[in-house]
């Protein structure tokens, strides 16, 4: 089919992506027996049976502001709020929708948002949509964040947004110092805990809870350690009420399935009590980190928790290593720009609690043969 008008340039653009080693194509599902080491299913819940009563409706039918609000939604949101020790929570269809909707609803022209340089694309897009001035500070540079807040004293309002556990680097900011900086300069602290809730912190409540920090806005994901789908924003009742009315990605979307909401409530109760799975994840992670270090050396970037990024550099080389590992029964996708900065392509290895000693031995053998940057 011949593309017309504004679409005519796409074939050339796709060719350029392919030549740069950046073209993504759907890949075949991993073969039976292949170990998946690039999933965010940190506790292994994603392969479990559906944890919801069969009688829960399959569809909401409309936006929750119209007629799509069901009892299952309210029960799930109350379970999340109770788990996290906050007043209220609001469910979104995805982490992307949660960040874009929340940031664009809370901030506006005249405000200043201080944002970490490696924040997720959904945070970046939410900041752009807000119309606020965005000051991007170097990754995990607390002094730069403090200076930016101080310099923004003339702003209508100030905000600081960061992830608690960065998904491509497996590292974390100093949340205690960031909270103190926000308090000093009368700024609100927004923390995306997508890759931390469920897997890290007391009762799986995330890294802010681990260090005793209470964000003004906490964003969490349900499709990672909780093994389901969707996301939530948690905080005060005032925050929830405002987002209910003004977060466009919530207001103008059909409510999530009530059956999914019922599953979320069950899964939240399970994850809060599952210290055993988190301890198992810690043990698996410690061994995997030690084993990978013995093979890839300094290419294993400094990190903590279940995300273990192995630096490669050129995108085409990251793809080649990924294919060699796949041939050996290990699925680890190459992470390339624009997901990470140019020149920093990597393999993002993620541990999960279900890995056995035999699995870890297979992984070591595959990397020993396939790691040839």
């Amino acid at each position: 089919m011949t593309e017309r008008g504004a679409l005519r340039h796409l074939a050339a653009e796709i060719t350029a992506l392919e030549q740069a080693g950046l073209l993504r194509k759907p890949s075949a599902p991993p073969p039976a027996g292949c170990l998946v080491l690039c999933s965010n299913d940190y506790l292994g819940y994603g392969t479990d049976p559906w944890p919801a009563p069969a009688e829960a409706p399959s569809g909401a039918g409309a936006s929750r502001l119209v007629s799509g609000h069901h009892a299952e939604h309210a029960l799930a949101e109350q379970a999340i709020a109770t788990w996290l020790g906050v007043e209220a929570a609001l469910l979104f269809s995805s982490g992307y929708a949660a960040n874009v909707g929340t940031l664009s609803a809370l901030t506006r022209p005249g405000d200043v948002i201080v944002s970490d340089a490696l924040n997720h694309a959904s945070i970046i897009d939410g900041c752009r949509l807000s119309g606020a001035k965005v000051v991007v500070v170097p990754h995990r540079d607390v002094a730069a964040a403090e200076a930016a807040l101080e310099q923004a004293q003339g702003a209508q309002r100030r905000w600081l947004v960061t992830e608690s556990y960065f998904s491509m680097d497996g590292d974390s900011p100093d949340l205690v110092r960031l909270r103190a900086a926000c308090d000093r300069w009368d700024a609100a602290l927004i923390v995306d805990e997508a890759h931390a809730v469920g897997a890290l912190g007391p009762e799986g409540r995330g890294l802010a809870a681990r260090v005793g920090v209470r964000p003004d806005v906490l964003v969490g994901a349900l499709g990672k350690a909780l093994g389901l789908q969707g996301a939530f924003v948690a905080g005060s009742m005032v925050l929830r009420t405002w987002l209910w009315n003004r977060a466009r990605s919530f207001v103008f979307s059909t409510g999530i399935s009530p059956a999914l909401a019922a599953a979320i409530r069950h899964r939240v109760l399970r994850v809060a009590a599952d210290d055993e799975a988190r301890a198992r994840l810690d043990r698996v992670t410690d061994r995997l980190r030690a084993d990978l270090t013995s093979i890839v050396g300094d290419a294993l970037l400094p990190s903590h928790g279940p995300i273990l990024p192995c630096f490669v550099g050129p995108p085409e080389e990251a793809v080649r290593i990924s294919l060699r590992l796949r041939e050996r029964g290990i699925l680890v996708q190459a992470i390339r720009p624009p997901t990470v900065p140019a020149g920093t392509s990597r393999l993002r290895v993620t541990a999960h609690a279900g890995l056995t000693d035999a699995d870890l031995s297979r992984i070591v053998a595959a990397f020993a043969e396939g790691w040839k940057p």
Side-chain angles (χ1 to χ4, degrees), residues 69 132 141 159 305 308:
H69 179 57
D141 190 332
W159 310 80
L308 300 94

Side-chain angles (χ1 to χ4, degrees), residues 20-299:
L22 300 177
L23 184 65
R24 277 80 164 173
K25 296 179 181 179
S27 57
C34 187
L35 289 177
V36 178
L37 288 187
C38 50
S39 165
N40 300 320
D41 184 18
Y42 302 117
L43 300 181
Y45 288 179
T47 57
D48 289 351
W50 184 254
E55 63 270 16
S58 60
S63 164
R64 289 178 63 190
L65 278 69
V66 180
S67 62
H69 179 57
H70 294 249
E72 290 83 0
H73 296 124
L75 290 171
E77 289 165 345
Q78 184 55 56
I80 292 168
T82 300
W83 173 41
L84 298 178
V86 298
E87 288 182 352
L90 186 65
L91 291 169
F92 283 77
S93 59
S94 69
Y96 189 93
N99 273 326
V100 167
T102 297
L103 284 160
S104 60
L106 292 177
T107 62
R108 61 190 64 176
D111 292 0
V112 169
I113 306 171
V114 178
S115 178
D116 189 285
L118 295 188
N119 274 339
H120 191 270
S122 58
I123 294 175
I124 294 170
D125 290 353
C127 290
R128 289 171 175 168
L129 286 170
S130 73
K133 178 182 178 181
V134 182
V135 179
V136 178
V137 295
H139 182 48
R140 299 174 61 222
D141 190 332
V142 177
E146 291 173 329
L149 289 175
E150 180 180 6
Q151 292 165 11
Q153 290 185 70
Q156 182 173 326
R157 293 176 301 180
R158 284 166 282 188
W159 310 80
L160 191 153
V161 58
T162 183
E163 298 180 44
S164 71
Y165 187 46
F166 285 86
S167 60
M168 294 301 134
D169 294 78
D171 59 8
S172 297
D174 188 334
L175 291 173
V176 173
R177 286 184 62 190
L178 291 179
R179 176 74 271 178
C182 287
D183 292 343
R184 179 179 182 186
W185 300 110
D186 192 28
L189 177 62
I190 303 173
V191 179
D192 183 347
E193 294 247 43
H195 287 268
V197 290
L200 302 173
E203 298 180 333
R205 289 185 285 117
L207 290 174
R210 175 180 288 178
V211 297
V213 165
R214 183 178 290 274
D216 298 290
V217 182
L218 189 156
V219 181
L222 299 162
K224 296 178 172 58
L226 277 80
L228 292 171
Q229 183 180 358
F232 62 84
V233 176
S236 68
M237 184 59 71
V238 168
L239 170 68
R240 183 186 188 277
T241 301
W242 181 253
L243 295 179
W244 179 280
N245 285 273
R246 285 293 182 265
R248 292 171 67 85
S249 59
F250 173 83
V251 172
F252 297 105
S253 291
T254 297
I256 69 167
S257 161
L260 173 58
I264 289 167
R265 181 171 66 88
H266 285 268
R267 194 55 60 79
V268 164
L269 297 174
R270 177 183 174 186
V271 78
D274 204 353
D275 289 336
E276 181 181 347
R278 282 183 287 275
R280 188 164 62 250
L281 176 63
D282 288 344
R283 292 193 297 270
V284 166
T285 298
D286 289 344
R287 178 176 165 185
L288 187 56
R289 181 170 278 111
D291 289 344
L292 287 177
T293 299
S294 69
I295 298 169
V296 309
D298 292 341

